[in-house]
Amino acid sequence: MDISSLTLTQAKSLLADGDITSEALVSGHLKRIDEQNENLHALLGVSEQALDEARQADTRRAKGEDGGVLAGIPIAIKDNILVQGWENTSCSQVLEGHRSAYSATVVERLKAAGAILIGRTNMDEFAMGSSTESSHFGPTKNPWDAERVPGGSSGGSAAAVAAGFVPAALGSDTGGSIRQPASLCGVVGLKPTYGRVSRYGLMAMASSLDQIGPITRTVEDAALVLQVIEGKDPRDATSVELQETTIPELMTDSLEGMTLGIPDEYFLEGMDDTIKSLVMDAVAQLKERGATVEKISMPHAKYALAAYYVLMPCEASSNLGRFDGLRFGYHSSGNTLTETYERSRGEGFGSEVKRRILLGSYALSAGYYDAYYRKALKVRTLIKRDFDDALKRVDAIVTPTSPCVAWKLGEKFGDPLTMYLSDIYTITANLATVPAISLPCGFSEGLPVGLQLMGRPFDEQTLYRIGMAYQKVTDWHTRTPV
Amino acid sequence: MDITHLAKLARLALTPEEIQSYQGQLGSILQYVDTLQELDTEQVPELQHAIEVTNVFRLDVPEGCEMDVRERSLKNFSNRSEDLLKVQAVFDGRTE
């Protein structure tokens, strides 16, 4: 049995039927990591307890105890999500030597459901980037072509799933950081509605945009993981009480009665022809399953990236104020306290993080606040209204996830604006707070292409239904890199 | 844009090379961001909250203050003697 290519659902049923032990499952994945991680650099560290925990899960199962929905299944965690005792750094030098004092709510929930946390994944420093190249620990490589980036910022999580290191990983998404790497690595990435998942224990980048979500091989697996981590948490006041979601009922392959919207603004002239035609092929397949397709217009989409590059740095520059060189991590002494702050931060943060702190400080400074920050908040309202209007007519919006396939390492790293443009299709969902999922829909010159579905706030079910119907009649998600 | 002033505001020590490269990069990002000014937003309200919540209150009783979390948090501090956290003088002209 090829353990590395199992989906979470397959692993779950093999475990339930006694056809495999958790120990075999986890050690199979550890072997895979051992063979390939040195080259791919998707994982930064592997938990030493993972095998023990797997054996304990087997013992509980043998005794007939209910170990939970994810009992004995290995999951990897993005390095900006706290796991008590782990050396979580958000891949920044500023947190060198930091050890998490407590676990994020999502981590507690995964553990309560029996999951085995196998290791922390590489990412862009503080989730700021689209290629995982800004990690203090060096870049992750794309499993489909090791000369290319995996996307980012959750590039380690996406590469880990694509390479068969784990059947599922957690990422975080502020402007596309789950979906874009999922697209570039040929796996599924789900950004939940803002408020669906507690952010407690997630190192904050932009608090009004950040959400934690799963990266998996299938839509069904993403739904399963989300069900475990979602729901109200008193420790995050923006998390919301949810209606119960039931996945099996959604497993119909008919999309009868469903209307999909195709926004002109996401299919611009000059876009990659192969990506466009693969997305339109996917739309045709959804049509065959019974969906109706409509053209829609989202006139403010073209302003989304500009609004994002005001709001995100503003929030990030405030959030990163806590890294003072004293409370945790990197410390560089100066002659005065102010000098200590300046040195610790100047030396500890990498170039992209400093760039965004400066940008946010500028936009929030006296005289510029109205022109930048307040203006961008108003434009965010216009973008949200575009979504509200469109989603009155259609049940979901279909677009490409990324305007391009995985690019070569180093290709865009020196040019921030070009790098930012790779998030142009994903950023709107964060600004509008809606749920969005990326799933594999084909290959362009051997590299994966992603299809993005965006839905109504808190209506992840519709995305599951469309995504599952699509994956029932296609096999893109079953392809694995050599 | 005065990068040196901004770096002061943001408490970042930057090298002359960094200041020079940020000057150019931030300039081109701001130029891109300026497309927002095309839009007439006079009558548009600001999106202040990502989710509709009003004040979320709880009873004024300590909770979630586990001793071991406190211990572990203290261990992350750069300089301390037992439970006392040591920092340099906060006000100018003082040495301790």
Side-chain angles (χ1 to χ4, degrees):
Chain A
M1 187 189 319
D2 179 12
I3 282 172
S4 63
S5 66
L6 292 176
T7 67
L8 195 156
T9 307
Q10 286 166 345
K12 196 171 143 64
S13 86
L14 289 170
L15 285 166
D17 296 343
D19 291 335
I20 192 175
T21 62
S22 177
E23 184 179 356
L25 184 68
V26 170
S27 57
H29 283 293
L30 288 173
K31 183 166 170 274
R32 181 84 167 180
I33 293 166
D34 201 40
E35 288 163 359
Q36 294 194 6
N37 194 50
E38 201 181 328
N39 179 31
L40 296 178
H41 199 231
L43 286 178
L44 299 166
V46 173
S47 164
E48 284 165 12
Q49 285 104 49
L51 263 182
D52 276 345
E53 287 171 14
R55 290 186 196 110
Q56 287 161 21
D58 288 331
T59 312
R60 279 196 296 273
R61 195 183 295 276
K63 284 188 198 157
E65 290 173 27
D66 177 11
V69 179
L70 302 175
I73 292 175
I75 289 186
I77 310 287
K78 189 175 179 180
D79 195 32
N80 59 351
I81 300 170
L82 303 184
V83 181
Q84 192 232 299
W86 285 18
E87 290 177 25
N88 294 118
T89 63
S90 268
C91 291
S92 178
Q93 193 183 1
V94 95
L95 277 167
E96 202 167 60
H98 168 258
R99 212 171 263 277
S100 299
Y102 61 94
S103 288
T105 297
V106 292
V107 166
E108 286 179 352
R109 291 186 177 175
L110 284 178
K111 282 189 161 178
I116 290 166
L117 309 184
I118 205 167
R120 55 196 185 97
T121 59
N122 201 13
M123 57 185 277
D124 281 296
E125 182 180 1
F126 284 109
M128 298 183 186
S130 310
S131 67
T132 316
E133 290 169 293
S134 75
S135 166
H136 174 58
F137 303 109
T140 294
K141 291 160 188 170
N142 193 311
W144 292 92
D145 178 350
E147 286 181 8
R148 292 175 187 268
V149 301
S153 67
S154 313
S157 292
V161 174
F165 294 179
V166 274
L170 290 189
S172 67
D173 191 315
T174 306
S177 279
I178 288 174
R179 291 159 286 156
Q180 185 259 18
S183 170
L184 269 49
C185 288
V187 292
V188 171
L190 172 61
K191 181 206 88 77
T193 309
Y194 186 85
R196 191 170 193 103
V197 178
S198 167
R199 293 176 292 112
Y200 181 77
L202 169 69
M203 294 190 206
M205 189 212 323
S207 307
S208 80
L209 303 162
D210 296 342
Q211 272 291 289
I212 297 170
I215 295 177
T216 55
R217 287 185 195 287
T218 67
V219 175
E220 187 184 10
D221 287 357
L224 201 65
V225 175
L226 187 61
Q227 242 191 344
V228 170
I229 62 171
E230 70 186 10
K232 189 165 178 59
D233 172 19
R235 294 175 297 187
D236 174 3
T238 62
S239 65
V240 167
E241 198 79 59
L242 301 168
Q243 313 242 329
E244 219 177 323
T245 52
T246 43
I247 299 161
E249 283 174 28
L250 307 166
M251 297 287 287
T252 110
D253 32 355
S254 163
L255 294 178
E256 223 48 75
M258 186 84 71
T259 311
L260 307 176
I262 314 287
D264 276 342
E265 291 81 1
Y266 286 72
F267 294 86
L268 298 172
E269 236 172 272
M271 80 173 288
D272 186 310
D273 281 340
T274 316
I275 294 178
K276 184 178 180 180
S277 74
L278 287 169
V279 169
M280 294 322 288
D281 286 352
V283 169
Q285 267 161 319
L286 296 172
K287 233 171 158 173
E288 264 176 49
R289 313 312 303 165
T292 314
V293 176
E294 256 185 46
K295 277 204 165 203
I296 55 171
S297 173
M298 308 191 79
H300 299 99
K302 69 172 173 170
Y303 298 102
L305 194 68
Y308 178 81
Y309 271 94
V310 175
L311 298 174
M312 175 274 296
C314 286
E315 295 191 31
S317 67
S318 311
N319 276 325
L320 296 185
R322 69 187 54 141
F323 299 104
D324 56 5
L326 303 172
R327 281 180 267 193
F328 9 60
Y330 189 85
H331 175 86
S332 177
S333 267
N335 291 323
T336 61
L337 184 60
T338 305
E339 250 183 60
T340 298
Y341 292 152
E342 289 172 346
R343 282 194 193 181
S344 300
R345 292 164 58 79
E347 293 163 20
F349 288 132
S351 63
E352 180 61 27
V353 175
K354 284 186 275 193
R355 191 178 295 126
R356 294 194 194 188
I357 291 175
L358 290 169
L359 199 55
S361 304
Y362 177 74
L364 290 174
S365 62
Y368 299 101
Y369 180 81
D370 284 354
Y372 289 106
Y373 186 64
R374 297 189 64 186
K375 181 80 182 183
L377 285 177
K378 288 171 172 220
V379 175
R380 190 173 177 187
T381 297
L382 293 174
I383 290 162
K384 175 108 180 87
R385 284 180 185 167
D386 280 358
F387 273 84
D388 290 346
D389 291 345
L391 290 164
K392 273 180 204 146
R393 289 172 47 204
V394 301
D395 298 294
I397 298 164
V398 185
T399 74
T401 307
S402 164
C404 50
V405 292
W407 57 90
K408 289 251 166 80
L409 286 152
E411 193 180 315
K412 299 182 181 178
F413 197 56
D415 182 357
L417 195 55
T418 308
M419 183 78 85
Y420 298 170
L421 284 165
S422 68
D423 292 335
I424 199 153
Y425 296 142
T426 47
I427 268 166
T428 48
N430 301 77
L431 291 171
T433 77
V434 303
I437 192 167
S438 175
L439 49 155
C441 70
F443 290 83
S444 173
E445 290 173 27
L447 297 165
V449 173
L451 172 77
Q452 179 175 237
L453 308 169
M454 299 186 277
R456 300 186 183 103
F458 298 103
D459 183 19
E460 275 78 355
Q461 289 96 314
T462 295
L463 304 187
Y464 297 159
R465 197 176 142 197
I466 303 168
M468 285 177 187
Y470 180 73
Q471 291 198 326
K472 265 198 170 173
V473 294
T474 55
D475 66 355
W476 304 115
H477 60 287
T478 64
R479 315 257 178 116
T480 50
V482 188
Chain B
M1 193 193 325
D2 182 352
I3 299 284
T4 312
H5 174 63
L6 279 177
K8 202 84 200 157
L9 290 178
R11 301 280 187 265
L12 291 171
L14 300 179
T15 63
E17 294 76 38
E18 283 179 311
I19 291 172
Q20 205 187 355
S21 97
Y22 286 138
Q23 191 79 51
Q25 289 168 346
L26 265 60
S28 64
I29 295 167
L30 285 174
Q31 205 179 355
Y32 178 77
V33 159
D34 271 338
T35 55
L36 293 180
Q37 306 306 331
E38 291 169 11
L39 285 168
D40 178 6
T41 52
E42 193 65 36
Q43 303 300 320
V44 182
E46 294 162 22
L47 196 150
Q48 292 278 13
H49 298 284
I51 196 135
E52 292 295 324
V53 281
T54 44
N55 295 331
V56 180
F57 294 119
R58 66 167 173 82
L59 290 176
D60 188 16
V61 287
E63 56 180 63
C65 305
E66 298 156 49
M67 276 306 278
D68 50 350
V69 173
R70 178 178 171 279
E71 294 299 322
R72 290 193 292 258
S73 301
L74 290 179
K75 276 190 190 150
N76 279 319
F77 207 84
S78 56
N79 192 7
R80 66 193 172 104
S81 70
E82 294 185 5
D83 273 8
L84 297 177
L85 307 177
K86 288 162 106 176
V87 295
Q88 287 162 292
V90 174
F91 298 106
D92 285 345
R94 298 283 297 269
T95 52
E96 54 187 86

